[in-house]
Amino acid sequence: MKVKVINGPNLNMLGIREPEVYGKATYKDLVEFIEQASKAFSMECDIFQSNHEGDIVTEIQNCLGVYDGIVINPAAYTHTSVAILDALKAVSLPTVEVHISDVDSREEFRKFSYVSLYAEKVIKGKGFEGYKEALGYLADKFGS
Ligand code: CA2
């Protein structure tokens, strides 16, 4: 199976600022972690990061007919973006939402997610392991 992993704004800053919230590992470390995890599940996996809402919408649209599932950490757009929710609904692919931090135990505004209105599974507060769990969920679903 083929999965697209999409990371939203500022996740490219991992390891550079706020290590107390997001850990010390860098975005490059995250990419390597996801690539290793996808190999362990014998999946094909492409990883995309953008700081721009429209680019994320386009990337989701381009998944149609190419990927079997999506793992997405929409970052701050989680809490604001109807456009990303609509794009996910439009392509209608199995989607897992991942958050590195436990958004429920942070500020009030992080408790609501537009993407959760579509995602079939949401993983919060498990650090990089959350991405592995998300890939494992899709691997189980497709029996890869
Ligand atoms: O916990 C997560 O994965 C989040 O999606 C991360 C977003 C935040 O807006 C969500 O509420 C929860 C923020 C990503 C920013 O990442 C940074 C990493 C290092 C330094 C600064 C920001």
Side-chain angles (χ1 to χ4, degrees):
M1 73 172 299
K2 214 172 159 186
V3 173
K4 187 86 183 193
V5 178
I6 298 174
N7 285 310
N10 296 307
L11 284 163
N12 57 314
M13 297 290 282
L14 281 172
I16 299 169
R17 302 282 309 274
E18 299 187 65
E20 67 288 356
V21 183
Y22 300 111
K24 284 185 193 157
T26 63
Y27 186 71
K28 186 169 171 280
D29 295 330
L30 176 61
V31 167
E32 285 168 8
F33 178 86
I34 294 168
E35 283 169 350
Q36 282 298 320
S38 66
K39 276 185 199 145
F41 293 120
S42 305
M43 295 169 141
E44 260 187 77
C45 174
D46 293 318
I47 304 164
F48 173 82
Q49 190 274 330
S50 176
N51 294 324
H52 304 280
E53 186 176 19
D55 290 347
I56 294 170
V57 167
T58 301
E59 199 67 21
I60 293 167
Q61 291 177 1
N62 290 341
C63 287
L64 190 60
V66 180
Y67 293 92
D68 302 301
I70 295 174
V71 172
I72 185 164
N73 181 346
Y77 291 139
T78 306
H79 319 295
T80 62
S81 183
V82 177
I84 290 174
L85 169 65
D86 284 347
L88 290 168
K89 286 167 103 170
V91 299
S92 198
L93 288 167
T95 296
V96 183
E97 176 182 350
V98 173
H99 296 286
I100 293 169
S101 66
D102 179 13
V103 280
D104 292 331
S105 61
R106 299 180 63 192
E107 302 94 325
E108 202 59 32
F109 68 85
R110 294 189 202 274
K111 290 182 181 158
F112 177 75
S113 164
Y114 282 100
V115 171
S116 294
L117 300 176
Y118 175 75
E120 61 183 63
K121 186 173 171 67
V122 185
I123 301 165
K124 309 167 186 179
K126 295 188 175 174
F128 287 7
E129 282 297 323
Y131 289 85
K132 189 172 185 177
E133 191 176 320
L135 293 173
Y137 172 84
L138 292 174
D140 283 350
K141 187 179 172 82
F142 286 93
S144 84

PDB file of all heavy atoms in Angstrom, residues 7 11-12 20 37 42 46 53 64 66 77 84 101 104 113 118 122 133 135-136:
ATOM      1  N   ASN A   7       2.639  17.003   6.789  1.00  0.00           N
ATOM      2  CA  ASN A   7       2.917  17.778   8.003  1.00  0.00           C
ATOM      3  C   ASN A   7       2.717  19.263   7.740  1.00  0.00           C
ATOM      4  O   ASN A   7       3.193  19.794   6.728  1.00  0.00           O
ATOM      5  CB  ASN A   7       4.349  17.512   8.472  1.00  0.00           C
ATOM      6  CG  ASN A   7       4.485  16.159   9.128  1.00  0.00           C
ATOM      7  OD1 ASN A   7       3.695  15.811  10.014  1.00  0.00           O
ATOM      8  ND2 ASN A   7       5.462  15.381   8.698  1.00  0.00           N
ATOM      9  N   LEU A  11       6.245  22.642  11.625  1.00  0.00           N
ATOM     10  CA  LEU A  11       6.828  21.350  12.041  1.00  0.00           C
ATOM     11  C   LEU A  11       8.263  21.215  11.531  1.00  0.00           C
ATOM     12  O   LEU A  11       9.054  20.461  12.102  1.00  0.00           O
ATOM     13  CB  LEU A  11       5.942  20.186  11.603  1.00  0.00           C
ATOM     14  CG  LEU A  11       4.687  20.041  12.481  1.00  0.00           C
ATOM     15  CD1 LEU A  11       3.631  19.183  11.820  1.00  0.00           C
ATOM     16  CD2 LEU A  11       5.036  19.467  13.862  1.00  0.00           C
ATOM     17  N   ASN A  12       8.609  21.988  10.512  1.00  0.00           N
ATOM     18  CA  ASN A  12      10.018  22.022  10.055  1.00  0.00           C
ATOM     19  C   ASN A  12      10.938  22.649  11.110  1.00  0.00           C
ATOM     20  O   ASN A  12      12.157  22.563  10.988  1.00  0.00           O
ATOM     21  CB  ASN A  12      10.129  22.780   8.720  1.00  0.00           C
ATOM     22  CG  ASN A  12       9.577  24.195   8.792  1.00  0.00           C
ATOM     23  OD1 ASN A  12       8.494  24.407   9.321  1.00  0.00           O
ATOM     24  ND2 ASN A  12      10.314  25.152   8.305  1.00  0.00           N
ATOM     25  N   GLU A  20      10.674  21.565  25.061  1.00  0.00           N
ATOM     26  CA  GLU A  20       9.874  21.080  26.205  1.00  0.00           C
ATOM     27  C   GLU A  20       8.485  20.606  25.748  1.00  0.00           C
ATOM     28  O   GLU A  20       7.847  19.800  26.425  1.00  0.00           O
ATOM     29  CB  GLU A  20       9.787  22.147  27.312  1.00  0.00           C
ATOM     30  CG  GLU A  20       9.008  23.419  26.995  1.00  0.00           C
ATOM     31  CD  GLU A  20       9.674  24.396  26.010  1.00  0.00           C
ATOM     32  OE1 GLU A  20      10.826  24.163  25.586  1.00  0.00           O
ATOM     33  OE2 GLU A  20       9.007  25.392  25.657  1.00  0.00           O
ATOM     34  N   ALA A  37       9.637   3.439   9.872  1.00  0.00           N
ATOM     35  CA  ALA A  37       8.368   2.820  10.279  1.00  0.00           C
ATOM     36  C   ALA A  37       7.633   2.275   9.066  1.00  0.00           C
ATOM     37  O   ALA A  37       7.089   1.165   9.103  1.00  0.00           O
ATOM     38  CB  ALA A  37       7.506   3.843  11.025  1.00  0.00           C
ATOM     39  N   SER A  42       6.168  -2.544   5.472  1.00  0.00           N
ATOM     40  CA  SER A  42       6.238  -2.833   4.027  1.00  0.00           C
ATOM     41  C   SER A  42       5.319  -1.933   3.205  1.00  0.00           C
ATOM     42  O   SER A  42       4.610  -2.377   2.303  1.00  0.00           O
ATOM     43  CB  SER A  42       5.879  -4.297   3.747  1.00  0.00           C
ATOM     44  OG  SER A  42       6.681  -5.150   4.502  1.00  0.00           O
ATOM     45  N   ASP A  46       5.352   8.532   1.087  1.00  0.00           N
ATOM     46  CA  ASP A  46       5.912   9.823   0.688  1.00  0.00           C
ATOM     47  C   ASP A  46       5.547  10.841   1.754  1.00  0.00           C
ATOM     48  O   ASP A  46       4.431  10.824   2.278  1.00  0.00           O
ATOM     49  CB  ASP A  46       5.359  10.249  -0.677  1.00  0.00           C
ATOM     50  CG  ASP A  46       5.833   9.330  -1.794  1.00  0.00           C
ATOM     51  OD1 ASP A  46       7.019   8.963  -1.796  1.00  0.00           O
ATOM     52  OD2 ASP A  46       4.998   8.963  -2.653  1.00  0.00           O
ATOM     53  N   GLU A  53      -1.372  26.788   3.717  1.00  0.00           N
ATOM     54  CA  GLU A  53      -2.650  26.056   3.723  1.00  0.00           C
ATOM     55  C   GLU A  53      -3.037  25.564   2.324  1.00  0.00           C
ATOM     56  O   GLU A  53      -3.405  24.400   2.140  1.00  0.00           O
ATOM     57  CB  GLU A  53      -3.735  26.968   4.289  1.00  0.00           C
ATOM     58  CG  GLU A  53      -5.072  26.291   4.483  1.00  0.00           C
ATOM     59  CD  GLU A  53      -6.075  27.230   5.153  1.00  0.00           C
ATOM     60  OE1 GLU A  53      -5.875  28.466   5.133  1.00  0.00           O
ATOM     61  OE2 GLU A  53      -7.068  26.716   5.704  1.00  0.00           O
ATOM     62  N   LEU A  64      -5.598  11.732  -4.625  1.00  0.00           N
ATOM     63  CA  LEU A  64      -6.707  10.953  -5.207  1.00  0.00           C
ATOM     64  C   LEU A  64      -6.207  10.056  -6.336  1.00  0.00           C
ATOM     65  O   LEU A  64      -5.549  10.528  -7.278  1.00  0.00           O
ATOM     66  CB  LEU A  64      -7.784  11.914  -5.735  1.00  0.00           C
ATOM     67  CG  LEU A  64      -9.110  11.288  -6.160  1.00  0.00           C
ATOM     68  CD1 LEU A  64      -9.775  10.558  -5.000  1.00  0.00           C
ATOM     69  CD2 LEU A  64     -10.043  12.365  -6.694  1.00  0.00           C
ATOM     70  N   VAL A  66      -3.869   7.978  -6.261  1.00  0.00           N
ATOM     71  CA  VAL A  66      -2.421   7.682  -6.175  1.00  0.00           C
ATOM     72  C   VAL A  66      -2.088   6.969  -4.857  1.00  0.00           C
ATOM     73  O   VAL A  66      -1.263   6.061  -4.833  1.00  0.00           O
ATOM     74  CB  VAL A  66      -1.591   8.987  -6.296  1.00  0.00           C
ATOM     75  CG1 VAL A  66      -0.099   8.699  -6.209  1.00  0.00           C
ATOM     76  CG2 VAL A  66      -1.926   9.734  -7.587  1.00  0.00           C
ATOM     77  N   TYR A  77      -3.209  24.462  11.554  1.00  0.00           N
ATOM     78  CA  TYR A  77      -4.405  24.420  10.691  1.00  0.00           C
ATOM     79  C   TYR A  77      -5.448  23.420  11.189  1.00  0.00           C
ATOM     80  O   TYR A  77      -6.607  23.475  10.787  1.00  0.00           O
ATOM     81  CB  TYR A  77      -4.017  24.099   9.246  1.00  0.00           C
ATOM     82  CG  TYR A  77      -3.254  25.205   8.543  1.00  0.00           C
ATOM     83  CD1 TYR A  77      -2.180  24.913   7.713  1.00  0.00           C
ATOM     84  CD2 TYR A  77      -3.616  26.539   8.716  1.00  0.00           C
ATOM     85  CE1 TYR A  77      -1.474  25.919   7.072  1.00  0.00           C
ATOM     86  CE2 TYR A  77      -2.910  27.555   8.079  1.00  0.00           C
ATOM     87  CZ  TYR A  77      -1.852  27.241   7.251  1.00  0.00           C
ATOM     88  OH  TYR A  77      -1.152  28.233   6.614  1.00  0.00           O
ATOM     89  N   ILE A  84      -8.877  22.439   4.623  1.00  0.00           N
ATOM     90  CA  ILE A  84      -8.199  21.135   4.725  1.00  0.00           C
ATOM     91  C   ILE A  84      -9.228  20.042   5.007  1.00  0.00           C
ATOM     92  O   ILE A  84      -9.183  18.965   4.399  1.00  0.00           O
ATOM     93  CB  ILE A  84      -7.062  21.183   5.769  1.00  0.00           C
ATOM     94  CG1 ILE A  84      -5.917  22.057   5.211  1.00  0.00           C
ATOM     95  CG2 ILE A  84      -6.561  19.778   6.117  1.00  0.00           C
ATOM     96  CD1 ILE A  84      -4.780  22.329   6.167  1.00  0.00           C
ATOM     97  N   SER A 101       2.144  16.481  20.362  1.00  0.00           N
ATOM     98  CA  SER A 101       1.837  16.854  21.751  1.00  0.00           C
ATOM     99  C   SER A 101       0.402  16.434  22.094  1.00  0.00           C
ATOM    100  O   SER A 101      -0.394  16.117  21.200  1.00  0.00           O
ATOM    101  CB  SER A 101       1.994  18.373  21.936  1.00  0.00           C
ATOM    102  OG  SER A 101       1.017  19.064  21.169  1.00  0.00           O
ATOM    103  N   ASP A 104      -5.066  18.074  24.014  1.00  0.00           N
ATOM    104  CA  ASP A 104      -6.176  18.210  24.971  1.00  0.00           C
ATOM    105  C   ASP A 104      -5.726  18.775  26.315  1.00  0.00           C
ATOM    106  O   ASP A 104      -6.556  19.256  27.094  1.00  0.00           O
ATOM    107  CB  ASP A 104      -6.856  16.862  25.202  1.00  0.00           C
ATOM    108  CG  ASP A 104      -7.576  16.389  23.959  1.00  0.00           C
ATOM    109  OD1 ASP A 104      -8.013  17.253  23.176  1.00  0.00           O
ATOM    110  OD2 ASP A 104      -7.678  15.169  23.754  1.00  0.00           O
ATOM    111  N   SER A 113     -10.648  20.293  16.717  1.00  0.00           N
ATOM    112  CA  SER A 113      -9.999  19.982  15.442  1.00  0.00           C
ATOM    113  C   SER A 113     -11.031  19.828  14.340  1.00  0.00           C
ATOM    114  O   SER A 113     -11.909  18.957  14.422  1.00  0.00           O
ATOM    115  CB  SER A 113      -9.205  18.676  15.577  1.00  0.00           C
ATOM    116  OG  SER A 113      -8.872  18.171  14.288  1.00  0.00           O
ATOM    117  N   TYR A 118     -13.390  14.490  10.128  1.00  0.00           N
ATOM    118  CA  TYR A 118     -13.306  13.508   9.041  1.00  0.00           C
ATOM    119  C   TYR A 118     -12.413  12.308   9.377  1.00  0.00           C
ATOM    120  O   TYR A 118     -12.738  11.165   9.020  1.00  0.00           O
ATOM    121  CB  TYR A 118     -12.789  14.174   7.743  1.00  0.00           C
ATOM    122  CG  TYR A 118     -12.582  13.126   6.677  1.00  0.00           C
ATOM    123  CD1 TYR A 118     -13.666  12.564   6.008  1.00  0.00           C
ATOM    124  CD2 TYR A 118     -11.302  12.619   6.402  1.00  0.00           C
ATOM    125  CE1 TYR A 118     -13.497  11.549   5.083  1.00  0.00           C
ATOM    126  CE2 TYR A 118     -11.123  11.603   5.477  1.00  0.00           C
ATOM    127  CZ  TYR A 118     -12.225  11.076   4.820  1.00  0.00           C
ATOM    128  OH  TYR A 118     -12.045  10.068   3.921  1.00  0.00           O
ATOM    129  N   VAL A 122      -7.605   9.391  15.525  1.00  0.00           N
ATOM    130  CA  VAL A 122      -6.825  10.554  15.957  1.00  0.00           C
ATOM    131  C   VAL A 122      -5.861  10.093  17.043  1.00  0.00           C
ATOM    132  O   VAL A 122      -6.271   9.446  18.011  1.00  0.00           O
ATOM    133  CB  VAL A 122      -7.736  11.680  16.505  1.00  0.00           C
ATOM    134  CG1 VAL A 122      -6.907  12.917  16.839  1.00  0.00           C
ATOM    135  CG2 VAL A 122      -8.844  12.027  15.517  1.00  0.00           C
ATOM    136  N   GLU A 133       2.167   4.554  14.887  1.00  0.00           N
ATOM    137  CA  GLU A 133       0.865   3.959  15.203  1.00  0.00           C
ATOM    138  C   GLU A 133      -0.130   4.215  14.064  1.00  0.00           C
ATOM    139  O   GLU A 133      -0.930   3.340  13.702  1.00  0.00           O
ATOM    140  CB  GLU A 133       0.354   4.546  16.522  1.00  0.00           C
ATOM    141  CG  GLU A 133      -0.849   3.819  17.074  1.00  0.00           C
ATOM    142  CD  GLU A 133      -1.276   4.366  18.432  1.00  0.00           C
ATOM    143  OE1 GLU A 133      -0.409   4.691  19.280  1.00  0.00           O
ATOM    144  OE2 GLU A 133      -2.496   4.481  18.643  1.00  0.00           O
ATOM    145  N   LEU A 135       0.587   4.702  10.834  1.00  0.00           N
ATOM    146  CA  LEU A 135       0.943   3.849   9.690  1.00  0.00           C
ATOM    147  C   LEU A 135       0.502   2.408   9.965  1.00  0.00           C
ATOM    148  O   LEU A 135      -0.015   1.731   9.077  1.00  0.00           O
ATOM    149  CB  LEU A 135       2.449   3.902   9.416  1.00  0.00           C
ATOM    150  CG  LEU A 135       2.994   5.250   8.921  1.00  0.00           C
ATOM    151  CD1 LEU A 135       4.522   5.205   8.855  1.00  0.00           C
ATOM    152  CD2 LEU A 135       2.421   5.629   7.553  1.00  0.00           C
ATOM    153  N   GLY A 136       0.699   1.959  11.207  1.00  0.00           N
ATOM    154  CA  GLY A 136       0.305   0.592  11.591  1.00  0.00           C
ATOM    155  C   GLY A 136      -1.192   0.394  11.458  1.00  0.00           C
ATOM    156  O   GLY A 136      -1.658  -0.651  11.013  1.00  0.00           O
TER     157      GLY A 136
END
